[in-house]
Amino acid sequence: MKIEEPLQGKRIAIRNYAPEDLDFCTGMWFDPENGRYLSDPDREHVDERYQRALEGMPDSPDGYYFIVELRESGERVGTCCAFPQDGAYDIGYCIRREYWKRGYGTELVELLTDWVRRQGGTAVTGEAAKENRASCALLEKCGFTAVRESSFNKYRMNVRFDSMIYQKTLR
């Protein structure tokens, strides 16, 4: 799924993922620190199924895959995604570690939430590992509430995280 025009924030823009973004994405997702709390595997655990999923991102019928860029320079600083289901949208996000603690995650989540509202979405959900205090705090700062406990595994790895599902109801 794709958006017609990039989402414009004060400092960032969110645009559709394109195949030429793959190395940027996997470089961030597979990084031991940057990708620590993602469900994505490290490079050693990438298999054909995962590789096909990566190749299918530009034309996914199930969700939106996005790149986050600085408006001023066009430099890529992160990724995000949104998956609609029954009026709600589940989101995910990742900011390059060189840009942590600068407010880009907050701006990203707020832009996605506003976009979901304009799409007629009724709620936005996001999952964060309990250990990932920064992500939990980010969702809470953006008005999300923890609604239930869950857990997830890193793809094809023996790594499991207890998590919280956060939700923001849109009016």
Side-chain angles (χ1 to χ4, degrees):
M1 302 173 97
K2 295 184 189 254
I3 54 175
E4 299 275 327
E5 296 288 326
L7 308 177
Q8 300 290 331
K10 185 175 181 178
R11 301 176 302 150
I12 63 171
I14 298 174
R15 66 164 172 82
N16 292 315
Y17 167 87
E20 56 269 20
D21 296 313
L22 182 60
D23 287 341
F24 166 77
C25 295
T26 56
M28 188 171 54
W29 299 340
F30 297 165
D31 178 83
E33 185 178 3
N34 218 131
R36 179 177 180 188
Y37 295 114
L38 300 178
S39 61
D40 298 279
D42 59 22
R43 288 188 194 281
E44 295 174 19
H45 290 87
V46 171
D47 62 7
E48 283 185 42
R49 181 175 169 225
Y50 184 86
Q51 189 63 44
R52 279 193 311 273
L54 290 175
E55 291 165 2
M57 288 189 334
D59 301 310
S60 173
D62 300 319
Y64 299 86
Y65 291 95
F66 300 124
I67 298 296
V68 182
E69 298 177 328
L70 296 179
R71 282 188 66 171
E72 205 169 276
S73 66
E75 181 181 0
R76 295 175 290 199
V77 297
T79 60
C80 56
C81 57
F83 297 92
Q85 185 174 29
D86 299 327
Y89 285 67
D90 188 49
I91 63 169
Y93 49 85
C94 184
I95 297 291
R96 254 178 48 203
R97 70 174 177 251
E98 297 88 56
Y99 292 93
W100 289 353
K101 298 182 182 181
R102 296 187 191 180
Y104 294 117
T106 300
E107 189 172 346
L108 178 164
V109 170
E110 289 173 349
L111 269 174
L112 281 180
T113 301
D114 289 343
W115 172 75
V116 168
R117 184 179 285 112
R118 290 192 308 273
Q119 303 311 303
T122 58
V124 181
T125 60
E127 182 174 18
K130 288 181 181 180
E131 290 178 35
N132 189 351
R133 285 304 313 146
S135 190
C136 293
L138 167 63
L139 290 168
E140 291 166 4
K141 177 181 179 181
C142 292
F144 286 68
T145 303
V147 292
R148 68 180 169 87
E149 294 186 11
S150 189
S151 65
F152 65 91
N153 295 322
K154 287 189 81 62
Y155 180 82
R156 292 188 41 87
M157 296 176 67
N158 192 24
V159 177
R160 183 177 188 83
F161 291 106
D162 291 330
S163 63
M164 292 301 297
I165 304 295
Y166 288 85
Q167 180 174 313
K168 183 173 185 173
T169 302
L170 305 178
R171 306 200 188 277

